[in-house]
Amino acid sequence: MRIEQQIVSGVIAAVNELYGQTVGENSVQLQKTRPEFEGNLTVVVFPFVKMARKSPEATAQEIGQWLVEHCEAVSACNAVKGFLNLVIAPEAWLQLLADIDSDDCYGLKQATGESPLVMIEYSSPNTNKPLHLGHVRNNLLGWSLARIMEANGNRVVKTNIVNDRGIHICKSMLAWQKWGNGETPESSGKKGDHLIGDYYVLFDKHYREEIKALVAGGMDEEQAKQEAPLIKEAHEMLVRWEQNDPEVRALWQKMNDWVYAGFDETYKALGVGFDKIYYESQTYLVGKRKVEEGLAKGLFFRKDDNSVWADLTDAGLDQKLLLRSDGTSVYMTQDIGTAQMRFEDYPIDKMIYVVGNEQNYHFQVLSLLLDRLGFKWGKELVHFSYGMVELPNGKMKSREGTVVDADDLVATMISDARQMSDELGKFDDMDEQERQEIARIVGMGALKYFILKVDARKNMLFNPEESIDFNGNTGPFIQYTYARIRSILRKAPELAADAKQSAELSEKEVELIQKMSEFGAAVEQAGKDYSPSGIANYVYELTKVFNQFYHDYSILNEPDEAKKQTRLMLARNVAKIIKNAMSLLGIEVPERM
């Protein structure tokens, strides 16, 4: 039984024996003892003062004395007003360390066939350009959230919805048709998503020139935007696509395949993936049918111009367009269609959408609509809303000059990690292949940790130089600590299963065991709050506590064999928890650095 559980049970028994009252576990409030007082855990006794009919301090002293006499985990206590500070017995800490050591998945829950099924949607790219810095934050948050939900005992399905239809896609297609001269990813040496992105930019360049020429000829700018020959051609192509024109569909399929191959490379570099990918070209028609079904049931209404709307004024919102007057769908319709397809594919208990905070209103509306259409998880859907991410100088090297390309960012991070490691002499005894692999692990760890340690709801500034520092609250600092522990363990003799543990524990050792014991609670809280940053903050704190301990106490050179065995067990389990915690963030840890 965990120390906290022993104390909670002890307090319940004490209140029952001392005051004849039965209280539940929720009445027992436990917290870490403040550093200025002696103790490890503190019980808040105010809920029991009326039962005791004594002052808060007298109540605390009475309950404390009972615990010292009856609870093996408690060796001493002191009362400060209504707070009972408990000193935990060394034997209890050692037993807790042994319990942590015996469980490779300590702090993590395992799903069963009966566990809730949580679906998480993230990434959601357009097929007319490569992934950028915003997508990086989205993908890293989505992947980490999936790992955290799994660690809380849920079954998880990771999904992606690809925006593969619409006028923006036709712009790239038309530009390639006009100016591509049959160029392919192979002939150009470019990734497919970058190649298509270049044609999207090229369309925009020629389109602006046409607008400029029309305005110079006397047309106002708004009209010029509608009358420019290129945009008219793009709209004609979209109509042909909607009509299943074989030539347009073949071109669309070919160019999309190039993009998907490019996306897959980026996803692999980021270390993320999906269990199921949906495509808007497949979901929008399902959405239209679902809206028409809702219209027939009186859930929606049709206006005189033939457009279909949902009236949400009774929920404090406005009216929402679902089908345009020409019968074409909007994003909301597509999301309804995607929800229908997912519901048919999986018995979802909870749906989480990882989408930027500019879509907050959209998901308020979607939640209401899905609930009205009968999706059991509609009202409870979670919009995991996150803020913008920018670089200090606005951009890194990028192809369009306006956004930060994900592939450029990844390459730069790995290159910076390699350069810094070379300068610090960390690679001196490694061959080239190992140097490259560790540079990749460290560079990606720096990127992921820096992004995930920030509360997702906040806008953030990603500073590549700051992220790759080997000191401070960074991924490389935590990775280096893990590698250092693994190095210690490689030099140590094998830990004997029946090795005698030291009954003498320093404050730093107790602090380390207590911090390790909090991992399960940190995972649980991160799941409740949908918060990867909670895991990042926990693992940084654990790493700091270990480094403080390691600064003050030798492990390999400790002459007392029992103390050495205890410290080796401490180190081994800190490394285990660091590895498991970083894994929840999608971050690898190297065995040496």
Side-chain angles (χ1 to χ4, degrees):
M1 190 188 292
R2 288 174 57 221
I3 289 172
E4 288 89 349
Q5 291 170 318
Q6 292 179 56
I7 291 170
V8 168
S9 299
V11 171
I12 290 169
V15 170
N16 185 264
E17 188 172 314
L18 293 169
Y19 314 125
Q21 299 285 331
T22 302
V23 296
E25 289 187 3
N26 292 341
S27 302
V28 185
Q29 299 172 41
L30 266 186
Q31 55 196 39
K32 283 182 80 170
T33 302
R34 285 164 54 179
E36 62 265 34
F37 300 114
E38 184 190 3
N40 308 110
L41 290 167
T42 297
V43 180
V44 181
V45 300
F46 293 109
F48 316 122
V49 169
K50 276 189 180 176
M51 302 173 192
R53 298 181 180 176
K54 293 177 181 171
S55 70
E57 192 145 5
T59 305
Q61 285 171 340
E62 200 166 45
I63 293 173
Q65 195 55 45
W66 191 97
L67 290 172
V68 170
E69 291 171 9
H70 297 89
C71 182
E72 288 183 359
V74 179
S75 63
C77 68
N78 63 86
V80 180
K81 298 181 179 172
F83 298 94
L84 171 60
N85 303 319
L86 303 175
V87 177
I88 304 304
E91 296 78 14
W93 289 123
L94 288 169
Q95 183 56 54
L96 177 56
L97 177 58
D99 292 344
I100 294 170
D101 187 61
S102 66
D103 185 356
D104 288 342
C105 298
Y106 179 79
L108 310 174
K109 293 176 185 164
Q110 303 298 314
T112 69
E114 303 301 309
S115 298
L117 181 65
V118 179
M119 181 175 278
I120 302 177
E121 174 194 295
Y122 56 97
S123 201
S124 313
N126 295 333
T127 57
N128 64 327
K129 55 191 173 186
L131 303 178
H132 55 66
L133 179 56
H135 288 115
V136 171
R137 190 179 198 190
N138 179 297
N139 279 281
L140 298 184
L141 286 169
W143 179 262
S144 178
L145 192 59
R147 299 302 301 268
I148 289 166
M149 298 307 286
E150 284 173 339
N152 277 283
N154 298 288
R155 292 176 296 145
V156 173
V157 177
K158 302 180 289 292
T159 67
N160 185 359
I161 175 71
V162 178
N163 185 354
D164 64 339
R165 63 175 286 275
I167 191 67
H168 53 296
I169 310 297
C170 291
K171 288 177 181 179
S172 299
M173 290 164 61
L174 186 61
W176 183 86
Q177 229 177 22
K178 284 182 173 295
W179 304 296
N181 297 315
E183 186 178 30
T184 67
E186 290 75 22
S187 71
S188 65
K190 293 178 181 175
K191 281 176 80 233
D193 50 337
H194 291 150
L195 180 67
I196 301 308
D198 289 347
Y199 282 101
Y200 184 68
V201 174
L202 191 59
F203 176 96
D204 193 58
K205 179 189 166 194
H206 286 287
Y207 177 43
R208 288 175 186 277
E209 287 170 0
E210 288 185 350
I211 294 168
K212 193 175 177 183
L214 290 171
V215 169
M219 194 180 284
D220 73 73
E221 190 173 346
E222 281 309 308
Q223 189 182 359
K225 286 178 181 177
Q226 304 296 323
E227 295 298 327
L230 265 178
I231 200 69
K232 284 188 166 183
E233 278 191 80
H235 277 292
E236 286 166 14
M237 182 177 271
L238 180 59
V239 170
R240 287 170 63 200
W241 183 92
E242 298 253 358
Q243 292 169 346
N244 274 316
D245 179 285
E247 185 187 339
V248 171
R249 284 282 178 146
L251 175 62
W252 170 76
Q253 190 66 59
K254 176 169 72 174
M255 293 178 70
N256 273 353
D257 285 345
W258 293 345
V259 172
Y260 299 144
F263 283 171
D264 286 346
E265 278 187 54
T266 308
Y267 290 139
K268 186 178 178 184
L270 290 172
V272 304
F274 312 93
D275 300 308
K276 177 86 175 181
I277 298 180
Y278 292 88
Y279 301 90
E280 288 190 10
S281 56
Q282 297 166 357
T283 67
Y284 83 106
L285 291 173
V286 178
K288 284 175 72 172
R289 286 196 297 272
K290 198 70 184 168
V291 168
E292 284 157 2
E293 187 184 302
L295 184 66
K297 290 180 180 174
L299 298 173
F300 310 131
F301 70 96
R302 194 185 295 278
K303 289 192 175 181
D304 292 341
D305 66 355
N306 208 39
S307 58
V308 177
W309 295 71
D311 186 356
L312 305 174
T313 51
D314 58 342
L317 303 177
D318 55 10
Q319 294 184 347
K320 182 67 185 175
L321 175 68
L322 298 178
L323 289 175
R324 298 187 187 92
S325 55
D326 61 3
T328 56
S329 63
V330 294
Y331 276 118
M332 190 64 71
T333 323
Q334 290 159 196
D335 276 346
I336 290 169
T338 309
Q340 174 68 29
M341 289 179 73
R342 287 170 175 164
F343 188 71
E344 290 167 358
D345 290 342
Y346 300 96
I348 304 167
D349 294 301
K350 185 181 283 292
M351 181 73 214
I352 303 174
Y353 293 88
V354 181
V355 182
N357 55 18
E358 71 276 6
Q359 295 292 327
N360 285 354
Y361 181 74
H362 176 91
F363 283 97
Q364 267 186 286
V365 172
L366 182 62
S367 176
L368 283 168
L369 293 177
L370 292 178
D371 182 55
R372 290 183 184 184
L373 286 165
F375 293 94
K376 65 174 183 175
W377 45 265
K379 192 175 279 187
E380 303 299 321
L381 77 78
V382 176
H383 173 206
F384 183 83
S385 172
Y386 64 90
M388 299 287 289
V389 55
E390 294 173 352
L391 289 158
N393 59 356
K395 64 186 181 193
M396 196 179 281
K397 174 190 171 193
S398 69
R399 286 166 178 78
E400 298 176 28
T402 53
V403 294
V404 182
D405 181 87
D407 295 313
D408 286 343
L409 181 60
V410 166
T412 302
M413 292 303 299
I414 295 171
S415 170
D416 287 355
R418 175 63 190 264
Q419 184 180 340
M420 184 166 286
S421 298
D422 278 335
E423 288 170 1
L424 293 173
K426 294 189 181 295
F427 287 166
D428 289 352
D429 62 341
M430 299 180 192
D431 62 30
E432 182 56 27
Q433 187 177 351
E434 189 177 7
R435 291 179 185 191
Q436 287 179 355
E437 177 62 2
I438 292 177
R440 181 192 67 78
I441 290 172
V442 172
M444 293 310 297
L447 170 64
K448 293 179 180 185
Y449 186 83
F450 201 92
I451 285 178
L452 293 173
K453 74 177 181 178
V454 177
D455 180 349
R457 293 166 296 187
K458 296 178 180 173
N459 289 346
M460 69 167 291
L461 201 65
F462 174 66
N463 187 327
E465 290 176 17
E466 195 181 320
S467 75
I468 217 149
D469 198 334
F470 282 84
N471 298 298
N473 189 5
T474 66
F477 169 68
I478 297 165
Q479 289 172 319
Y480 182 64
T481 300
Y482 175 84
R484 170 191 272 173
I485 295 172
R486 296 300 297 163
S487 173
I488 292 167
L489 294 173
R490 281 193 295 273
K491 294 171 187 171
E494 192 67 31
L495 262 172
D498 58 349
K500 186 177 184 297
Q501 300 292 299
S502 171
E504 293 177 37
L505 291 173
S506 68
E507 275 186 37
K508 286 280 197 306
E509 288 166 324
V510 167
E511 186 183 3
L512 198 48
I513 297 170
Q514 189 166 9
K515 179 55 71 176
M516 282 193 282
S517 77
E518 294 166 9
F519 180 47
V523 172
E524 193 174 317
Q525 197 60 48
K528 284 177 182 171
D529 298 341
Y530 308 110
S531 174
S533 63
I535 298 296
N537 293 335
Y538 168 81
V539 72
Y540 173 58
E541 289 300 320
L542 174 65
T543 305
K544 272 201 308 185
V545 173
F546 175 82
N547 279 296
Q548 288 162 3
F549 154 73
Y550 188 63
H551 178 270
D552 292 349
Y553 296 92
S554 173
I555 296 178
L556 294 176
N557 295 324
E558 170 55 53
D560 185 312
E561 188 59 31
K563 285 183 179 179
K564 182 194 282 190
Q565 289 289 324
T566 300
R567 290 174 190 172
L568 283 169
M569 188 180 279
L570 275 170
R572 178 167 75 185
N573 286 284
V574 169
K576 174 177 78 182
I577 292 174
I578 286 176
K579 184 173 185 176
N580 289 343
M582 293 291 264
S583 176
L584 296 182
L585 303 175
I587 299 174
E588 299 166 79
V589 283
E591 287 298 304
R592 64 185 197 136
M593 277 171 75

